[in-house]
Amino acid sequence: HEARYSTLSSITAATRHPSFSYIPHSRPPLSPFIATMSLATAGGAASAGLSSGGAGLSVAAMAHNTGPHAAAVAHHHHHGSIPGAGSSYAAAPGTSYAALGADLLDKTQSFLSGKHVRQTATLPIAAVDLYGDKCHVAYFPPVGGCESREERERRKKAKATTTTTTTEGGGDSAAAAMEEAIRRQTGVRVRSVGGMWANRDDNGAVGSRRGGNVAWKRDDDASYRAVKRYLAKGTGRGAVLRRSLLPDAKDARSTAEAIVLPRPHLLLGARSLEDVSSAARAALGPLFAAAVAATADDDDDAATSRVIDREFRDDDPDSPVSLAVIALDGGAIPKGDDFDRVAFRIKLSSKKKAVTVLPEEAVGIAASLARKRVMDAYFAEFPECDLAEERNKSRADAAGDDGDDEEEELYGDFPPAVAIPGWAAMDPSLEALVDATRGSSPGACGPSLHPRSVAACVGALLPQSSHSNSNSNSNSPSKLTKLLAETIRTKRADAAKEAALLAARTKTDPVEPEPFLPLLVLVGATTDGLEVTAMQLSKPQGGDEEVHCPFGGISVVSSVCCCRGAGTMEGGKHTDVDVDVVEEKLEWAMDRLRSQVGLIAPESEEPTAIVTYGTIATQLKVATKLKAILAGYGKEARNKKNDNDKHDDEEDQDDDDDWDGWDQDIPLLSTHESCTSVGLAVLAAASHSRVKLVVSVKGTDGKHRPKPKPAVDVKSVAACQVAVSFNYFGGEEGKWTEPKTVFDFDRRVPAGPYRVEFSAAECAAHVKCARSGKASNDFREIGDETVLMDMAKSLEGARGIPEREEAALRLRFRVLQRTTRDDEENGRWIRIGDDMSPLTMEHSQKDEGESGRDHLVACESAVMEISLSPVGLITTALTTNGETIVQATKSARNSKLLKYAGIFGSLLFVGGFLVKSFVEERVFERDTQRVLAYYKHVAPNSFHDGDERHARYMVWKYKGKKDALWRRLEAKYGFPVKHAWEWDDDEEGEREAKGGEEEEETEDLDGSDGSGEL
């Protein structure tokens, strides 16, 4: 399968080994090596990452709303980068508002860029409710370049009646205002196409149970050739649609005339049969049971190959289709890694061998069918557009397969949009969905993914004319919009009245009350799953502002999801039990949602309305169940009130005051079956800057200019839970730590990046604690974390190199994800990607050896950053400096030596200056005193005698040439310049000499007493 699946397995050669490939240079790199990838396709790669094996993770800090929000972390190589703002991203042509929306691209859509938006500006957006029961399709036409006859007449009237003033700087604003007025008159532009498959009768036998089944003709040569061409080359989808696809199959099981692939989108991204969701198991029925039974006979790898190579019996209706696990890397037997995929094995012709069809390939055909239906509806409404003329020309010039290919080039690049329910928000399936729905041409625009509940909310707020494919421009608000507007007016009036009464009692000015935010509960059920979501609406916008978005702010509070059960297995045979998710899970979901709303948004009162979406039959079933649940809530409240009346307990009275008001009085509103698809089209148009709100902003020069802003601001929460787990013993089973939650349910998304740090010393400390009996495999069993940190510190340095290398090579790390909150089978953790070796990297001088890992070397530390998108996509970025443990130890040792050498050099440098300064100061003072003493003795009572300032000046002036100063003074005064103490010695000598002479003069030489007598 190497050639066929090259597109789906477009992963770099560096990720073909469980450890990330990094070949070091002859010297350590100057900048860190950064590897960014998506876990869905490159989960086996891991270059490096820093952390105490999970000791640094904090559930309270990062699982909910604390910590940093999402940064712009790019996906892996074949996805587009998130577009930036500014003039570098030109807008779509065809309207004067295109340039205004250049910076309004949705930054949460990782697969959209400014280039993609510009390329598809003249194409309609195809929105598909793929996970719905009937797979409804809607589209949003381009902003410019196509007009119906009614719009053209309306534009002429607007130009005739609109007077524009062309004052300085005001011409563009007036033209923009005219364009905006025309756009408002046009009304809702989104159109519903209907169910993807039920072309003739949306309420017929195709029905909700068939959903997204893909049916192909059996034993038809033309069909076989078209499918083989598509599977081999990835092209020719148009020929498959025309020659092979059966849009009117009424059964989910294969027959003698048709081969049916049951809801292949539920198998997207599944790496093994254990990873298949319960919803997919229930939809596949006997196919899944047969695959499990075939692989359960033996434990060896040959079991899967027998499933692939088994013969099909033509007399068995179910035999043309089976499930198998294949390897995308070209191996004959799956290895249990990230290259494995669950695929269909189908026998299109009894005379030919069976072929393998990936779920992505089947979903790609469904996406092409949706695009084709959008093209037909778009051309029917706009028959004079450029695309219609191009199609007519291609039909006239080509025929057969060439004609199909020419037509496919027209609709193959329509920008897609898919609504993702919370129970399907898994990273592997979303990555596969992106590959399946991307356009047919290279570098085509990727899909915009939006939460299904938010799309249903936007669709429920749209005017009723949007749910039909007729060119109706009625902007009358929907029932939900009217109810919300009336409730907001009533609440505001009541709040203003209470504020006025309070101001009158306190004799103060009335305070502006807080705006009322209505709370909506949306309940959507399909045969595959249930989703119950609470959200608050804000920023009401009138129809004259933006008709597509009556409310400019949608903030999701909480979302509770669950999948359909998978039936039972009895005696090795699958029992197709139709588990009704509404009857089994709706009450549980409402209870969980009610408690979550009370915790997250306690200021919210009871829901303003409960809105259901889905097929009519499902909505009726949901409404009946909801009435019973709400009646139970009301009965609970009445019983609580009666207990409070019997017991005049103040605490009980407080409990009664805290009742949240959920009861049977909450209005229940139903929606059209196309509600989700049309709302999805509006959200996609907002992501493509086709729906925006233009406001007038006053500039610094005092002039008002139009400025665009997003028409709707959606704040989502995580419908899934993301956790990490560590293994310090080479991935041994039973040695994995308990999952540590990184992003919890109802966490505001996008979220991250969350940093996970790895350290070889701390990993060695974990292993040492486990071997010493202090802990088995979880650091939390050690009790005191300081013990672990002290042990890790003791293992640093050259003595701990062997232990650190062994621990780094044996470290394994995995990311887990789940979408269901309960602890049953549906709430099990799913591993995302392969197990990583974050502290290993590849060495270019070593061979793989017998174990396949002998060419790996251990690195000292690494950092991993994990981010989560609004629909459940996980992105990771791994960073390391590329140093091995030995290199890191040498670097640390050299760094230590350099540190002490630097300290010693600094001391010498500073000390030398201090000594020099001290010596110079002493010499300066000595010479000053020498000059003062000289003037005192050679020129007493002169101006320079005792003048210290003059003496200091002379010493400073002759600094470095003191000998010249002494010679000049000696020449001037005729006395040698002596030091200060030398003058003192000379004076003392003179005094001694003078005293001796006086004694000699007074000596009595005659020995008389002085009387003069002899």
Side-chain angles (χ1 to χ4, degrees):
H1 309 286
E2 185 84 29
R4 280 191 42 214
Y5 305 131
S6 58
T7 302
L8 296 170
S9 60
S10 55
I11 306 173
T12 58
T15 62
R16 291 188 180 273
H17 194 276
S19 293
F20 195 84
S21 173
Y22 173 69
I23 302 176
H25 299 280
S26 57
R27 60 177 181 174
L30 299 178
S31 60
F33 173 73
I34 300 177
T36 305
M37 68 201 70
S38 171
L39 289 175
T41 58
S47 174
L50 258 202
S51 141
S52 61
L57 299 178
S58 173
V59 178
M62 288 302 297
H64 291 283
N65 292 335
T66 59
H69 285 276
V73 180
H75 272 263
H76 48 86
H77 55 277
H78 68 274
H79 294 150
S81 59
I82 299 177
S87 59
S88 61
Y89 290 92
T95 176
S96 60
Y97 275 105
L100 297 177
D103 58 345
L104 297 182
L105 297 178
D106 191 353
K107 304 303 186 295
T108 63
Q109 299 296 329
S110 304
F111 310 104
L112 287 181
S113 65
K115 178 181 179 181
H116 291 151
V117 171
R118 292 192 299 270
Q119 289 176 347
T120 59
T122 58
L123 303 177
I125 298 174
V128 186
D129 185 16
L130 184 63
Y131 292 87
D133 285 335
K134 292 186 178 180
C135 296
H136 275 270
V137 181
Y139 74 92
F140 198 97
V143 177
C146 61
E147 290 181 331
S148 61
R149 296 183 179 87
E150 292 80 1
E151 290 177 348
R152 192 176 297 107
E153 294 296 331
R154 196 179 299 114
R155 181 177 293 274
K156 292 180 181 179
K157 292 181 181 179
K159 288 183 179 180
T161 57
T162 303
T163 58
T164 59
T165 59
T166 57
T167 58
E168 183 180 357
D172 294 340
S173 301
M178 185 190 71
E179 293 288 340
E180 178 67 7
I182 296 173
R183 184 183 63 83
R184 291 170 183 169
Q185 293 178 9
T186 303
V188 179
R189 297 181 62 83
V190 62
R191 295 290 183 267
S192 173
V193 177
M196 182 192 301
W197 306 95
N199 295 329
R200 292 172 293 182
D201 185 7
D202 257 3
N203 299 321
V206 176
S208 62
R209 285 195 57 86
R210 184 175 184 273
N213 297 343
V214 177
W216 287 336
K217 297 178 182 178
R218 185 181 180 188
D219 287 332
D220 185 277
D221 293 340
S223 172
Y224 180 81
R225 288 193 298 270
V227 173
K228 283 288 291 183
R229 178 194 175 197
Y230 167 64
L231 297 179
K233 299 181 179 180
T235 59
R237 297 184 181 184
V240 174
L241 295 181
R242 188 169 66 91
R243 298 174 180 272
S244 181
L245 197 65
L246 290 176
D248 56 349
K250 298 180 175 58
D251 196 353
R253 296 189 178 185
S254 299
T255 62
E257 294 80 17
I259 292 179
V260 180
L261 306 183
R263 299 182 70 79
H265 55 273
L266 299 178
L267 279 179
L268 289 172
R271 267 57 171 175
S272 64
L273 295 178
E274 291 76 12
D275 292 344
V276 177
S277 65
S278 60
R281 298 180 185 183
L284 294 171
L287 294 180
F288 182 79
V292 172
T295 56
D297 295 339
D298 296 316
D299 295 332
D300 56 5
D301 295 332
T304 304
S305 63
R306 285 199 300 272
V307 176
I308 298 177
D309 298 332
R310 70 177 186 142
E311 295 295 334
F312 295 91
R313 300 191 307 273
D314 296 335
D315 55 348
D316 187 356
D318 293 333
S319 63
V321 182
S322 67
L323 291 180
V325 181
I326 64 173
L328 295 182
D329 57 357
I333 298 176
K335 301 176 182 178
D337 55 14
D338 201 44
F339 289 96
D340 295 348
R341 293 293 187 277
V342 178
F344 293 99
R345 292 281 293 175
I346 63 175
K347 197 173 182 63
L348 287 172
S349 175
S350 58
K351 303 177 183 179
K352 305 290 184 178
K353 292 183 178 180
V355 296
T356 303
V357 180
L358 284 172
E360 290 91 330
E361 294 168 332
V363 173
I365 293 298
S368 297
L369 176 61
R371 287 187 174 100
K372 189 175 185 304
R373 293 214 60 194
V374 167
M375 182 188 68
D376 295 339
Y378 175 66
F379 290 163
E381 183 176 357
F382 304 101
E384 299 179 4
C385 65
D386 297 337
L387 284 178
E389 295 178 359
E390 185 176 351
R391 184 186 66 165
N392 296 333
K393 182 179 179 181
S394 63
R395 284 183 174 180
D397 296 341
D401 292 340
D402 294 337
D404 294 332
D405 294 342
E406 292 291 337
E407 191 173 63
E408 182 184 353
E409 292 180 0
L410 295 178
Y411 63 79
D413 289 337
F414 284 6
V418 183
I420 308 299
W423 48 266
M426 295 294 292
D427 181 84
S429 62
L430 295 178
E431 288 287 344
L433 179 64
V434 170
D435 292 335
T437 56
R438 191 179 292 273
S440 57
S441 63
C445 179
S448 56
L449 309 178
H450 301 273
R452 190 168 185 261
S453 58
V454 177
C457 178
V458 174
L461 294 172
L462 283 172
Q464 295 297 327
S465 60
S466 61
H467 300 287
S468 62
N469 54 8
S470 61
N471 189 22
S472 174
N473 59 345
S474 175
N475 294 339
S476 58
S478 63
K479 294 181 180 179
L480 178 60
T481 305
K482 293 179 181 178
L483 175 62
L484 293 175
E486 182 180 354
T487 304
I488 291 175
R489 285 194 299 269
T490 303
K491 294 292 184 180
R492 286 181 177 177
D494 295 342
K497 184 177 180 181
E498 292 180 1
L501 293 176
L502 179 61
R505 287 197 300 266
T506 58
K507 297 181 179 180
T508 58
D509 294 335
V511 180
E512 183 70 20
E514 294 290 334
F516 172 72
L517 302 179
L519 179 68
L520 286 183
V521 175
L522 287 96
V523 182
T526 65
T527 56
D528 300 321
L530 174 69
E531 187 175 17
V532 183
T533 308
M535 56 186 68
Q536 290 178 326
L537 305 182
S538 59
K539 302 177 185 178
Q541 300 173 159
D544 56 342
E545 294 177 327
E546 177 50 60
V547 68
H548 294 93
C549 303
F551 287 86
I554 299 178
S555 178
V556 182
V557 177
S558 178
S559 181
V560 180
C561 313
C562 59
C563 291
R564 172 190 175 191
T568 60
M569 294 289 293
E570 297 179 358
K573 296 182 179 180
H574 184 273
T575 304
D576 190 7
V577 179
D578 187 8
V579 180
D580 194 339
V581 69
V582 175
E583 293 294 335
E584 295 291 334
K585 292 293 185 178
L586 182 56
E587 185 174 0
W588 168 84
M590 289 292 292
D591 293 341
R592 294 298 296 269
L593 182 72
R594 182 184 179 189
S595 62
Q596 286 296 106
V597 171
L599 291 175
I600 300 175
E603 73 281 359
S604 298
E605 300 178 1
E606 71 275 5
T608 303
I610 297 179
V611 182
T612 61
Y613 58 96
T615 61
I616 298 299
T618 303
Q619 291 189 66
L620 292 175
K621 186 186 299 183
V622 170
T624 303
K625 185 66 176 180
L626 282 175
K627 291 178 181 179
I629 295 173
L630 294 177
Y633 291 160
K635 184 178 180 181
E636 177 185 351
R638 289 192 298 271
N639 294 336
K640 191 174 183 179
K641 183 176 180 181
N642 295 332
D643 293 341
N644 292 335
D645 293 340
K646 294 178 180 179
H647 307 89
D648 295 330
D649 190 347
E650 183 177 356
E651 182 179 356
D652 291 340
Q653 292 292 343
D654 293 340
D655 292 341
D656 181 64
D657 294 338
D658 292 339
W659 177 57
D660 54 9
W662 290 53
D663 58 10
Q664 63 274 14
D665 295 334
I666 300 176
L668 294 178
L669 300 179
S670 61
T671 58
H672 195 274
E673 289 186 345
S674 61
C675 170
T676 304
S677 60
V678 296
L680 175 63
V682 172
L683 289 176
S687 299
H688 283 254
S689 301
R690 299 188 185 185
V691 174
K692 50 186 172 289
L693 185 65
V694 180
V695 296
S696 180
V697 178
K698 187 176 182 180
T700 56
D701 55 355
K703 298 180 180 179
H704 288 78
R705 293 180 175 85
K707 181 179 179 181
K709 57 181 296 187
V712 58
D713 181 19
V714 179
K715 297 179 180 179
S716 301
V717 298
C720 62
Q721 189 177 21
V722 180
V724 296
S725 182
F726 302 83
N727 189 304
Y728 306 99
F729 307 96
E732 295 181 11
E733 293 298 331
K735 296 293 186 178
W736 289 93
T737 62
E738 290 296 325
K740 187 76 172 181
T741 301
V742 177
F743 302 119
D744 207 346
F745 291 107
D746 298 332
R747 196 246 195 260
R748 187 66 69 190
V749 286
Y754 181 75
R755 294 171 60 88
V756 182
E757 300 182 348
F758 301 91
S759 171
E762 294 173 2
C763 294
H766 280 278
V767 176
K768 190 173 182 179
C769 288
R771 291 175 178 175
S772 62
K774 294 183 179 180
S776 58
N777 62 332
D778 201 335
F779 75 96
R780 286 169 287 188
E781 298 180 12
I782 299 175
D784 190 1
E785 187 178 338
T786 58
V787 176
L788 178 67
M789 303 307 296
D790 294 340
M791 189 175 299
K793 190 174 182 181
S794 65
L795 292 172
E796 296 177 353
R799 294 182 179 180
I801 288 179
E803 295 179 349
R804 299 205 310 274
E805 283 187 338
E806 181 185 1
L809 291 173
R810 292 172 63 85
L811 174 66
R812 300 293 183 271
F813 175 79
R814 62 174 53 169
V815 179
L816 306 172
Q817 189 180 22
R818 65 178 179 183
T819 58
T820 306
R821 299 171 186 258
D822 55 11
D823 296 330
E824 301 173 1
E825 182 185 1
N826 293 339
R828 69 187 188 279
W829 291 103
I830 300 297
R831 185 184 66 177
I832 306 301
D834 289 336
D835 294 338
M836 307 179 192
S837 300
L839 292 179
T840 60
M841 58 185 179
E842 187 173 313
H843 199 286
S844 60
Q845 303 296 328
K846 302 176 70 175
D847 298 330
E848 292 190 6
E850 296 180 358
S851 63
R853 296 180 58 87
D854 295 340
H855 68 300
L856 301 178
V857 293
C859 57
E860 185 66 46
S861 60
V863 178
M864 173 183 290
E865 294 182 347
I866 305 175
S867 302
L868 180 66
S869 74
V871 292
L873 281 168
I874 301 174
T875 55
T876 61
L878 298 106
T879 308
T880 181
N881 57 6
E883 288 185 344
T884 64
I885 290 180
V886 176
Q887 292 173 341
T889 304
K890 290 181 179 179
S891 299
R893 185 188 301 114
N894 295 336
S895 177
K896 191 173 184 179
L897 294 175
L898 289 175
K899 174 183 177 182
Y900 287 113
I903 294 175
F904 183 72
S906 300
L907 291 177
L908 290 179
F909 182 77
V910 176
F913 274 103
L914 290 176
V915 172
K916 180 182 178 182
S917 177
F918 176 77
V919 172
E920 289 180 349
E921 184 67 21
R922 291 296 300 271
V923 171
F924 188 85
E925 293 295 333
R926 183 197 66 186
D927 293 341
T928 302
Q929 295 299 325
R930 185 176 182 180
V931 173
L932 289 174
Y934 183 79
Y935 280 119
K936 181 179 180 180
H937 288 86
V938 302
N941 299 323
S942 64
F943 284 105
H944 298 320
D945 183 15
D947 189 354
E948 184 178 358
R949 296 184 60 184
H950 175 72
R952 294 177 69 89
Y953 169 74
M954 294 296 292
V955 173
W956 171 82
K957 181 178 180 181
Y958 286 91
K959 181 180 180 181
K961 47 185 179 179
K962 300 289 180 61
D963 294 339
L965 175 62
W966 309 142
R967 288 194 301 268
R968 291 188 62 180
L969 290 175
E970 183 177 357
K972 181 178 181 180
Y973 293 100
F975 290 92
V977 181
K978 303 178 182 179
H979 290 282
W981 64 84
E982 294 178 345
W983 292 106
D984 295 339
D985 294 343
D986 293 344
E987 290 180 356
E988 185 177 355
E990 290 178 0
R991 284 195 301 268
E992 292 178 354
K994 186 177 182 180
E997 293 177 357
E998 290 177 354
E999 290 178 356
E1000 290 179 358
E1001 291 177 358
T1002 60
E1003 182 179 3
D1004 187 5
L1005 298 177
D1006 56 4
S1008 63
D1009 56 358
S1011 60
E1013 297 180 357
L1014 299 172

